[in-house]
Amino acid sequence: MHELCKIFRFDAAHTLRREVDAEPSRRIHGHSYRAEVAVRGTPDPASGMLIDLGLLDRALATLHDRLDHHFLDEVADLGPATLENLARWIWDRLAPDFPGLARVTVLRDSSGDSCSYFGA
């Protein structure tokens, strides 16, 4: 069993309703995010690859384009722009094409926060 990971980064703005630090969170503000996508399985004996990284690169580029320098409050089907919802949103778009998808982790390195989603 192997696990292959790919990382992409994006910067985006959002608002958030919170109990703590409520006022700053309600104002439009932004973060730098890092998303790590992990696929698990057994490499194909002929190619030696678990998946073709070129295919994963293309899928992640599409997601990057939908998130990077966007207002996350306006991203369709995301809901409140939490780490939890971002991880699930990325998963939902990758899972149909990558059956070995094992984990999506979204991180905000500046604050040390992260959330991983492992599917339903």
Side-chain angles (χ1 to χ4, degrees):
M1 182 67 65
H2 288 78
E3 181 176 88
L4 185 65
C5 298
K6 186 76 178 172
I7 293 171
F8 73 98
R9 299 174 189 278
F10 61 98
D11 298 296
H14 71 118
T15 63
L16 199 57
R17 293 181 185 262
R18 299 178 54 189
E19 292 182 31
V20 177
D21 298 328
E23 185 56 33
S25 294
R26 285 190 189 115
R27 290 192 300 265
I28 296 174
H29 63 283
H31 300 284
S32 293
Y33 295 92
R34 178 168 50 104
E36 181 180 76
V37 174
V39 178
R40 285 189 191 144
T42 303
D44 177 86
S47 69
M49 294 186 287
L50 179 60
I51 59 167
D52 184 329
L53 279 175
L55 296 173
L56 186 56
D57 283 341
R58 286 182 188 172
L60 296 183
T62 298
L63 297 180
H64 176 270
D65 290 346
R66 292 184 63 189
L67 298 171
D68 190 47
H69 287 86
H70 281 81
F71 185 47
L72 297 178
D73 295 35
E74 297 174 349
V75 173
D77 301 322
L78 178 60
T82 61
L83 292 172
E84 296 90 338
N85 283 341
L86 283 164
R88 179 204 39 84
W89 186 90
I90 293 167
W91 176 285
D92 288 347
R93 274 132 198 88
L94 293 175
D97 296 321
F98 298 95
L101 186 62
R103 174 179 48 83
V104 173
T105 302
V106 178
L107 306 98
R108 285 194 323 233
D109 291 324
S110 64
S111 60
D113 303 325
S114 70
C115 180
S116 295
Y117 184 71
F118 299 91

mmCIF file of all heavy atoms in Angstrom, residues 4-8 35-39 56 60 63 90 94 101 103-105:
data_model
loop_
_atom_site.group_PDB
_atom_site.id
_atom_site.type_symbol
_atom_site.label_atom_id
_atom_site.label_comp_id
_atom_site.label_asym_id
_atom_site.label_seq_id
_atom_site.Cartn_x
_atom_site.Cartn_y
_atom_site.Cartn_z
ATOM 1 N N LEU A 4 0.263 8.610 -1.960
ATOM 2 C CA LEU A 4 0.867 9.650 -2.783
ATOM 3 C C LEU A 4 0.157 10.960 -2.467
ATOM 4 O O LEU A 4 -1.076 11.001 -2.438
ATOM 5 C CB LEU A 4 0.688 9.280 -4.262
ATOM 6 C CG LEU A 4 1.335 10.173 -5.299
ATOM 7 C CD1 LEU A 4 2.856 10.117 -5.168
ATOM 8 C CD2 LEU A 4 0.922 9.721 -6.689
ATOM 9 N N CYS A 5 0.920 12.022 -2.199
ATOM 10 C CA CYS A 5 0.329 13.304 -1.811
ATOM 11 C C CYS A 5 0.737 14.398 -2.778
ATOM 12 O O CYS A 5 1.843 14.395 -3.317
ATOM 13 C CB CYS A 5 0.786 13.705 -0.412
ATOM 14 S SG CYS A 5 0.279 12.564 0.879
ATOM 15 N N LYS A 6 -0.169 15.329 -2.942
ATOM 16 C CA LYS A 6 0.078 16.503 -3.774
ATOM 17 C C LYS A 6 -0.451 17.710 -3.016
ATOM 18 O O LYS A 6 -1.520 17.654 -2.402
ATOM 19 C CB LYS A 6 -0.640 16.345 -5.121
ATOM 20 C CG LYS A 6 -0.348 17.415 -6.108
ATOM 21 C CD LYS A 6 1.025 17.235 -6.714
ATOM 22 C CE LYS A 6 1.274 18.310 -7.755
ATOM 23 N NZ LYS A 6 2.632 18.303 -8.231
ATOM 24 N N ILE A 7 0.282 18.810 -3.058
ATOM 25 C CA ILE A 7 -0.083 20.032 -2.346
ATOM 26 C C ILE A 7 -0.348 21.136 -3.343
ATOM 27 O O ILE A 7 0.351 21.260 -4.357
ATOM 28 C CB ILE A 7 1.059 20.448 -1.397
ATOM 29 C CG1 ILE A 7 1.208 19.414 -0.281
ATOM 30 C CG2 ILE A 7 0.827 21.843 -0.823
ATOM 31 C CD1 ILE A 7 2.426 19.612 0.590
ATOM 32 N N PHE A 8 -1.391 21.941 -3.046
ATOM 33 C CA PHE A 8 -1.572 23.189 -3.777
ATOM 34 C C PHE A 8 -1.895 24.286 -2.783
ATOM 35 O O PHE A 8 -2.396 24.033 -1.699
ATOM 36 C CB PHE A 8 -2.606 23.068 -4.909
ATOM 37 C CG PHE A 8 -4.049 22.992 -4.484
ATOM 38 C CD1 PHE A 8 -4.860 24.115 -4.502
ATOM 39 C CD2 PHE A 8 -4.611 21.779 -4.096
ATOM 40 C CE1 PHE A 8 -6.202 24.035 -4.133
ATOM 41 C CE2 PHE A 8 -5.938 21.690 -3.731
ATOM 42 C CZ PHE A 8 -6.737 22.823 -3.752
ATOM 43 N N ALA A 35 -3.483 23.127 0.718
ATOM 44 C CA ALA A 35 -4.308 21.919 0.692
ATOM 45 C C ALA A 35 -3.441 20.745 0.265
ATOM 46 O O ALA A 35 -2.695 20.832 -0.712
ATOM 47 C CB ALA A 35 -5.481 22.086 -0.261
ATOM 48 N N GLU A 36 -3.547 19.651 1.031
ATOM 49 C CA GLU A 36 -2.818 18.431 0.704
ATOM 50 C C GLU A 36 -3.829 17.341 0.389
ATOM 51 O O GLU A 36 -4.729 17.072 1.183
ATOM 52 C CB GLU A 36 -1.937 18.004 1.872
ATOM 53 C CG GLU A 36 -1.133 16.751 1.564
ATOM 54 C CD GLU A 36 -0.259 16.317 2.712
ATOM 55 O OE1 GLU A 36 -0.785 15.762 3.680
ATOM 56 O OE2 GLU A 36 0.962 16.552 2.635
ATOM 57 N N VAL A 37 -3.655 16.733 -0.759
ATOM 58 C CA VAL A 37 -4.541 15.669 -1.225
ATOM 59 C C VAL A 37 -3.743 14.368 -1.220
ATOM 60 O O VAL A 37 -2.648 14.311 -1.787
ATOM 61 C CB VAL A 37 -5.058 15.986 -2.642
ATOM 62 C CG1 VAL A 37 -5.863 14.839 -3.206
ATOM 63 C CG2 VAL A 37 -5.871 17.284 -2.626
ATOM 64 N N ALA A 38 -4.284 13.336 -0.574
ATOM 65 C CA ALA A 38 -3.598 12.047 -0.474
ATOM 66 C C ALA A 38 -4.428 10.961 -1.158
ATOM 67 O O ALA A 38 -5.629 10.854 -0.942
ATOM 68 C CB ALA A 38 -3.367 11.675 0.982
ATOM 69 N N VAL A 39 -3.753 10.165 -1.983
ATOM 70 C CA VAL A 39 -4.366 9.029 -2.666
ATOM 71 C C VAL A 39 -3.617 7.778 -2.221
ATOM 72 O O VAL A 39 -2.381 7.768 -2.186
ATOM 73 C CB VAL A 39 -4.285 9.196 -4.204
ATOM 74 C CG1 VAL A 39 -4.882 7.999 -4.920
ATOM 75 C CG2 VAL A 39 -4.971 10.487 -4.641
ATOM 76 N N LEU A 56 -3.742 14.333 -11.701
ATOM 77 C CA LEU A 56 -4.033 14.997 -10.436
ATOM 78 C C LEU A 56 -3.671 16.479 -10.516
ATOM 79 O O LEU A 56 -4.424 17.326 -10.022
ATOM 80 C CB LEU A 56 -3.288 14.308 -9.286
ATOM 81 C CG LEU A 56 -3.607 14.797 -7.880
ATOM 82 C CD1 LEU A 56 -5.104 14.720 -7.573
ATOM 83 C CD2 LEU A 56 -2.815 13.992 -6.850
ATOM 84 N N LEU A 60 -6.261 19.527 -9.688
ATOM 85 C CA LEU A 60 -5.957 20.510 -8.657
ATOM 86 C C LEU A 60 -5.845 21.912 -9.235
ATOM 87 O O LEU A 60 -6.212 22.891 -8.572
ATOM 88 C CB LEU A 60 -4.684 20.129 -7.902
ATOM 89 C CG LEU A 60 -4.748 18.825 -7.118
ATOM 90 C CD1 LEU A 60 -3.447 18.590 -6.356
ATOM 91 C CD2 LEU A 60 -5.937 18.785 -6.186
ATOM 92 N N LEU A 63 -9.325 23.281 -9.349
ATOM 93 C CA LEU A 63 -9.781 23.700 -8.021
ATOM 94 C C LEU A 63 -9.071 24.974 -7.585
ATOM 95 O O LEU A 63 -9.689 25.875 -7.009
ATOM 96 C CB LEU A 63 -9.554 22.587 -7.004
ATOM 97 C CG LEU A 63 -10.325 21.292 -7.259
ATOM 98 C CD1 LEU A 63 -10.016 20.279 -6.174
ATOM 99 C CD2 LEU A 63 -11.815 21.559 -7.343
ATOM 100 N N ILE A 90 -13.297 20.257 -1.483
ATOM 101 C CA ILE A 90 -12.232 19.729 -2.349
ATOM 102 C C ILE A 90 -12.432 18.229 -2.558
ATOM 103 O O ILE A 90 -12.359 17.732 -3.681
ATOM 104 C CB ILE A 90 -10.847 20.051 -1.755
ATOM 105 C CG1 ILE A 90 -10.603 21.569 -1.793
ATOM 106 C CG2 ILE A 90 -9.751 19.297 -2.498
ATOM 107 C CD1 ILE A 90 -9.413 22.029 -0.964
ATOM 108 N N LEU A 94 -12.971 15.915 -6.154
ATOM 109 C CA LEU A 94 -11.935 14.969 -6.586
ATOM 110 C C LEU A 94 -12.386 13.509 -6.547
ATOM 111 O O LEU A 94 -11.955 12.704 -7.367
ATOM 112 C CB LEU A 94 -10.685 15.123 -5.716
ATOM 113 C CG LEU A 94 -9.926 16.431 -5.837
ATOM 114 C CD1 LEU A 94 -8.800 16.470 -4.821
ATOM 115 C CD2 LEU A 94 -9.396 16.629 -7.253
ATOM 116 N N LEU A 101 -8.784 8.197 -3.403
ATOM 117 C CA LEU A 101 -8.676 9.377 -2.550
ATOM 118 C C LEU A 101 -8.832 8.966 -1.091
ATOM 119 O O LEU A 101 -9.808 8.314 -0.722
ATOM 120 C CB LEU A 101 -9.740 10.408 -2.948
ATOM 121 C CG LEU A 101 -9.674 11.762 -2.260
ATOM 122 C CD1 LEU A 101 -8.359 12.479 -2.562
ATOM 123 C CD2 LEU A 101 -10.855 12.627 -2.699
ATOM 124 N N ARG A 103 -7.549 11.230 1.729
ATOM 125 C CA ARG A 103 -7.572 12.331 2.687
ATOM 126 C C ARG A 103 -7.387 13.650 1.959
ATOM 127 O O ARG A 103 -6.621 13.730 1.002
ATOM 128 C CB ARG A 103 -6.440 12.147 3.699
ATOM 129 C CG ARG A 103 -6.236 13.270 4.667
ATOM 130 C CD ARG A 103 -5.093 12.986 5.648
ATOM 131 N NE ARG A 103 -3.861 12.519 5.023
ATOM 132 C CZ ARG A 103 -2.937 13.317 4.479
ATOM 133 N NH1 ARG A 103 -3.104 14.617 4.471
ATOM 134 N NH2 ARG A 103 -1.845 12.798 3.937
ATOM 135 N N VAL A 104 -8.087 14.666 2.433
ATOM 136 C CA VAL A 104 -7.848 16.047 2.018
ATOM 137 C C VAL A 104 -7.627 16.845 3.290
ATOM 138 O O VAL A 104 -8.471 16.834 4.192
ATOM 139 C CB VAL A 104 -9.029 16.638 1.218
ATOM 140 C CG1 VAL A 104 -8.809 18.127 0.967
ATOM 141 C CG2 VAL A 104 -9.233 15.895 -0.094
ATOM 142 N N THR A 105 -6.493 17.513 3.379
ATOM 143 C CA THR A 105 -6.179 18.350 4.528
ATOM 144 C C THR A 105 -6.016 19.781 4.051
ATOM 145 O O THR A 105 -5.319 20.031 3.074
ATOM 146 C CB THR A 105 -4.882 17.883 5.220
ATOM 147 O OG1 THR A 105 -5.040 16.525 5.630
ATOM 148 C CG2 THR A 105 -4.552 18.739 6.431
#
